[in-house]
Amino acid sequence: LAKTTQPISMDSYEGQEVNITCSHNNIATNDYITWYQQFPSQGPRFIIQGYKTKVTNEVASLFIPADRKSSTLSLPRVSLSDTAVYYCLVGSLNSGAGSYQLTFGKGTKLSVIP
Amino acid sequence: ETGVTQTPRHLVMGMTNKKSLKCEQHLGHNAMYWYKQSAKKPLELMFVYSLEERVENNSVPSRFSPECPNSSHLFLHLHTLQPEDSALYLCASSQGLAGNQETQYFGPGTRLLVL
């Protein structure tokens, strides 16, 4: 079971780049790493997903080292509207054991300060 | 708007009541999920359905009973709940089973209070 660990909270000023790291030491070979954003009283929303190296989309970048035991979500030039909780997720379908596991981290509460 | 709707958005029930939460997805997905989110705990996966068959039941008490009549609808039937069951219940869907390059689309959740 790929357990994930993230910092509980982070503060940043507007316009800065924010990097949030997630540890997942037991990640399985076929697991992808997905990051979600959640605002209060809403469901999580997909941000970015990757398997290895670097992935970039219009809102974020995801850096995954070669050993895949951690990943870093990078948010460029954050604004006040980026204040939210960010979750990393790894999951696996262990068809051999007949089990299915999805493990969300406890999330990182990002506060963007004016 | 994610294409996943949940009703009701808020629910207050007594411990002897029976109620149901409803989730509907308009995305043509094949997998649906129930999660529980408490104030001080991470998102907990409760149930997973793929093509209307239950894939996983993460040791959830029997007072929670899921039902997936078709690939677009998912229910969570509640009976004799405890105050500690008060939480935000989130429904999600994905094209295939999430984890292996599949992403989930979450509904807004049902805020449940058990008195």
Side-chain angles (χ1 to χ4, degrees), chain A residues 30-32 34 36 38 41-44 46 49 87 89 91-93 99-102 104-106, chain B residues 9 33 35 37 42-43 45 48 55-56 58 88 90 97-104 106-108:
Chain A
N30 59 346
D31 284 353
Y32 277 72
T34 312
Y36 289 85
Q38 187 178 25
S41 300
Q42 295 186 24
F46 171 83
Q49 183 183 69
Y87 294 94
L89 168 68
S92 62
L93 175 57
S99 67
Y100 179 72
Q101 300 289 347
L102 276 180
F104 274 88
K106 294 185 177 181
Chain B
R9 293 294 309 276
Y33 312 77
Y35 285 89
Q37 188 172 37
L43 280 158
L45 181 64
V48 181
V55 175
E56 183 65 23
N58 278 348
L88 180 68
L90 289 159
L97 285 173
N100 298 329
Q101 208 172 7
E102 294 288 349
T103 60
Q104 296 173 83
F106 284 82

Side-chain angles (χ1 to χ4, degrees), chain A residues 60-90:
Chain A
S61 294
L62 179 59
F63 299 92
I64 305 169
D67 65 7
R68 302 198 334 118
K69 294 188 176 187
S70 67
S71 58
T72 299
L73 174 71
S74 181
L75 304 172
R77 300 179 298 282
V78 294
S79 64
L80 294 177
S81 62
D82 293 318
T83 294
V85 179
Y86 293 82
Y87 294 94
C88 82
L89 168 68
V90 297

Side-chain angles (χ1 to χ4, degrees), chain B residues 5-53:
Chain B
T5 58
Q6 291 186 244
T7 55
R9 293 294 309 276
H10 297 88
L11 178 62
V12 179
M13 60 187 289
M15 289 189 283
T16 58
N17 292 157
K18 290 184 179 181
K19 297 286 185 183
S20 295
L21 309 184
K22 179 182 176 181
C23 175
E24 184 174 0
Q25 58 97 357
H26 311 275
L27 303 168
H29 287 168
N30 294 317
M32 297 188 76
Y33 312 77
W34 278 118
Y35 285 89
K36 175 183 178 182
Q37 188 172 37
S38 306
K40 296 184 178 180
K41 287 186 176 182
L43 280 158
E44 300 174 70
L45 181 64
M46 300 175 73
F47 301 104
V48 181
Y49 278 83
S50 177
L51 297 173
E52 303 156 41
E53 291 193 9

